[in-house]
Amino acid sequence: MRRRLLFAYLLMLAAVLVAVAVPYATSTATRDTQAVFIDQLNDTARFASLAEPALRSGETVMLAAELTRYDELYTVGAAVLDINREVITASREELPLSDDAVQTKIDAGLSGERSGIDQVVWPWEREPLVLVEPVGRGGEVIGVALTVADTEELRAQILRQWSLLATIAVVALGLATLAAVGLARWTLRPVHDLDSVAHDISAGTLDARVPEDEGPAELRRLASSFNTMADTVTGALTRQRAFVSHASHQLRTPLGVLRLRLENLVDHLRPSGEREHRLAMAETARLAGILSGLLALARAEGTELDLAAVDLDAVVQERVTAWEPMTATHNVRLLRAGGADALVLAAPEALEQVLDALIDNALKFGSPDGEITIGTALSDDGRAEIHVTDDGPGLDEEERAHATERFWRSPAHQNTPGSGLGLAIVHELISACGGDLALLHAEPHGLDARIRLRISPTGPPGNTESPLHAALPDTSRRPPEGSADGPPDAPVPVRPGR
């Protein structure tokens, strides 16, 4: 934008310079041409007055001597022609008397017309300046006197003046460019600050604000309005997150009490009520998962994660080992493939939460007695990739586009336990780590959840403790619902839903 504004400034300035310089250059060439024309015309008229008695008497010796001295002094050729166009005398032999332009002037002179100022000598034109004066008295024309001047000196003089004018214009344009650069920077500084702050806010730095004391008054008002809007939006987001967090936290206690009381009713149930009791227990478990997911999502969105160098293969292998007993109880093989052999930038707890959510997702929606493959590799663009692939029915392209939305569930899995928040949390955590999540089609069928993370430029992994450990609820150390015999190390943060 600065370049476009600077271009507009310079374009207007160049237009002004052209509007001033071109008429001035034209008037300079016209003025110098007129000065030379007047001097030469006076000399031509003098030769015509000398030629009149010489033509009548036939004595042309003195006239020829005068023309020769004039030519030697001013290097301007001169000649006298009679009424029959015959050259009576000339200062030199090589005068261009046969040129069409000269013949036209001679015809005009023999008709009694004097040469007028009807031309301007331009630096790129090389034609001589030819002037003709009728010779005669009392309206009788008996010949013409003409002068032919080379315009090289005149053209050089005009060109020098134009060069000086161009130099002044270039210097003025350079000074104006420096002033325009400063003006453009001063004008657009608030716009640059606005763009930078808007980017910071979109990246999660909600307290970023635009300085309100820079630039023109209109942009200062815009900055003030933007800051007011940012305060309003930030306040609304903060209140929304606080509400979700507080509501989720406060509802967990009565929900836990309700679950405990439902469990205490087991000994007092009649056989006909056992089915309804199991359904009520399942619904309370599902509601607890939704509350935990909302709390995790609210805290993940509001937390700036401290990234550290994490051994990707080690974390993946740890989660595979922790989940193998659980997958074995479902007759599902959990396979480890590839190897990145790299340190990635991530919050360690976030990476564990993400892997647990994706493995649980693959376990629920993969094929019975199927396979889940956890693979790591380095991509062509220098990032580390994690692939969690199942061999289930998968999702079509439209469903994959909506799968990371909150509470979204695939129509084919509406009856499968889950909250619809798992993939949304995964997306938020991976984005906070500077990576990206993509849901791809697995061949021949299934879902391939691909995570890409940045490679750490440091050596050994850093501190494995992360603020995320305090930011997220401790839902990662419990087995999946309905799996009381699951291993204590098989965490499932939130039941992801499709």
Side-chain angles (χ1 to χ4, degrees):
M1 184 175 181
R2 180 181 299 172
R3 288 193 297 269
R4 290 193 293 270
L5 183 60
L6 185 60
F7 176 76
Y9 285 158
L10 296 181
L11 184 62
M12 290 187 292
L13 178 61
V16 172
L17 289 176
V18 169
V20 173
V22 171
Y24 182 79
T26 302
S27 66
T28 299
T30 303
R31 183 185 67 245
D32 292 348
T33 301
Q34 288 178 349
V36 173
F37 179 89
I38 292 173
D39 291 340
Q40 186 175 338
L41 184 62
N42 291 334
D43 294 336
T44 307
R46 186 171 65 86
F47 293 146
S49 64
L50 294 176
E52 192 268 336
L55 289 176
R56 292 185 184 278
S57 64
E59 297 292 337
T60 61
V61 176
M62 293 183 61
L63 177 62
E66 184 67 21
L67 297 182
T68 301
R69 284 195 300 270
Y70 178 77
D71 193 353
E72 291 174 352
L73 183 60
Y74 298 107
T75 63
V76 176
V80 175
L81 285 72
D82 62 12
I83 193 66
N84 298 319
R85 302 175 184 271
E86 295 292 334
V87 177
I88 302 303
T89 182
S91 64
R92 67 179 79 159
E93 295 182 358
E94 63 275 10
L95 292 177
L97 301 180
S98 59
D99 290 353
D100 293 339
V102 176
Q103 287 294 321
T104 301
K105 290 182 178 293
I106 292 175
D107 292 340
L110 293 175
S111 300
E113 298 180 7
R114 301 184 66 187
S115 294
I117 306 176
D118 56 356
Q119 72 180 87
V120 177
V121 176
W122 304 109
W124 54 85
E125 293 180 349
R126 298 184 178 275
E127 291 80 5
L129 180 60
V130 180
L131 299 182
V132 175
E133 183 74 14
V135 177
R137 184 186 300 171
E140 179 187 9
V141 178
I142 61 174
V144 294
L146 63 85
T147 54
V148 180
D150 185 75
T151 59
E152 182 178 358
E153 183 177 351
L154 176 59
R155 288 186 284 110
Q157 177 182 343
I158 295 174
L159 188 60
R160 286 194 297 271
Q161 295 181 356
W162 283 14
S163 299
L164 177 61
L165 180 62
T167 301
I168 295 174
V170 169
V171 171
L173 185 62
L175 295 176
T177 300
L178 295 178
V181 169
L183 179 62
R185 287 179 177 175
W186 176 76
T187 302
L188 294 180
R189 184 179 295 112
V191 178
H192 174 74
D193 293 341
L194 186 64
D195 175 72
S196 178
V197 169
H199 177 76
D200 292 341
I201 291 177
S202 66
T205 309
L206 300 181
D207 58 347
R209 294 297 181 268
V210 183
E212 300 180 9
D213 56 351
E214 297 178 349
E218 295 81 359
L219 293 181
R220 290 199 297 268
R221 288 196 299 270
L222 175 62
S224 177
S225 300
F226 178 86
N227 288 339
T228 301
M229 179 193 69
D231 290 338
T232 303
V233 173
T234 300
L237 288 175
T238 302
R239 289 190 296 272
Q240 177 187 5
R241 290 172 177 172
F243 170 77
V244 173
S245 178
H246 294 163
S248 301
H249 183 74
Q250 294 299 324
L251 288 174
R252 294 177 73 183
T253 299
L255 186 62
V257 174
L258 176 61
R259 184 181 181 92
L260 181 60
R261 291 186 176 181
L262 286 175
E263 291 175 350
N264 292 336
L265 291 177
V266 173
D267 296 336
H268 306 283
L269 290 175
R270 291 178 295 181
S272 59
E274 290 181 355
R275 180 177 179 276
E276 294 298 327
H277 180 265
R278 287 195 303 272
L279 293 176
M281 291 291 294
E283 287 301 314
T284 57
R286 178 174 176 272
L287 184 56
I290 293 175
L291 292 178
S292 297
L294 287 173
L295 185 60
L297 187 59
R299 290 180 175 175
E301 288 180 331
T303 302
E304 294 186 4
L305 304 184
D306 291 333
L307 305 184
V310 178
D311 189 338
L312 177 61
D313 289 338
V315 173
V316 171
Q317 186 59 49
E318 176 191 348
R319 303 322 305 152
V320 168
T321 302
W323 274 91
E324 281 178 342
M326 178 62 64
T327 57
T329 61
H330 293 77
N331 295 324
V332 173
R333 289 184 296 171
L334 184 59
L335 305 178
R336 176 74 172 92
D341 191 21
L343 301 178
V344 298
L345 288 175
E349 292 290 332
L351 189 55
E352 293 180 0
Q353 293 271 340
V354 164
L355 289 172
D356 290 339
L358 293 179
I359 294 173
D360 181 60
N361 205 59
L363 183 60
K364 287 194 300 181
F365 300 107
S367 297
D369 303 327
E371 294 181 352
I372 300 173
T373 303
I374 316 295
T376 55
L378 294 178
S379 64
D380 295 336
D381 60 356
R383 291 195 174 197
E385 291 187 354
I386 309 172
H387 290 264
V388 180
T389 308
D390 63 60
D391 57 357
L395 300 172
D396 60 33
E397 184 176 355
E398 183 178 357
E399 289 176 329
R400 293 197 301 272
H402 294 284
T404 56
E405 298 176 1
R406 302 174 191 184
F407 298 108
W408 184 87
R409 304 289 302 277
S410 170
H413 303 107
Q414 291 295 325
N415 296 325
T416 303
S419 63
L421 291 173
L423 290 179
I425 296 175
V426 169
H427 180 266
E428 290 293 337
L429 293 178
I430 291 301
S431 297
C433 293
D436 61 78
L437 167 68
L439 301 179
L440 310 174
H441 174 70
E443 295 294 343
H445 54 79
L447 184 68
D448 177 9
R450 185 197 68 189
I451 297 171
R452 296 200 307 169
L453 295 171
R454 293 173 295 172
I455 301 295
S456 172
T458 60
N463 182 14
T464 57
E465 292 297 324
S466 168
L468 186 69
H469 186 73
L472 295 179
D474 189 16
T475 60
S476 63
R477 300 304 176 190
R478 61 176 178 82
E481 297 162 8
S483 305
D485 56 343
D489 252 355
V492 180
V494 177
R495 299 288 257 165
R498 291 186 183 174

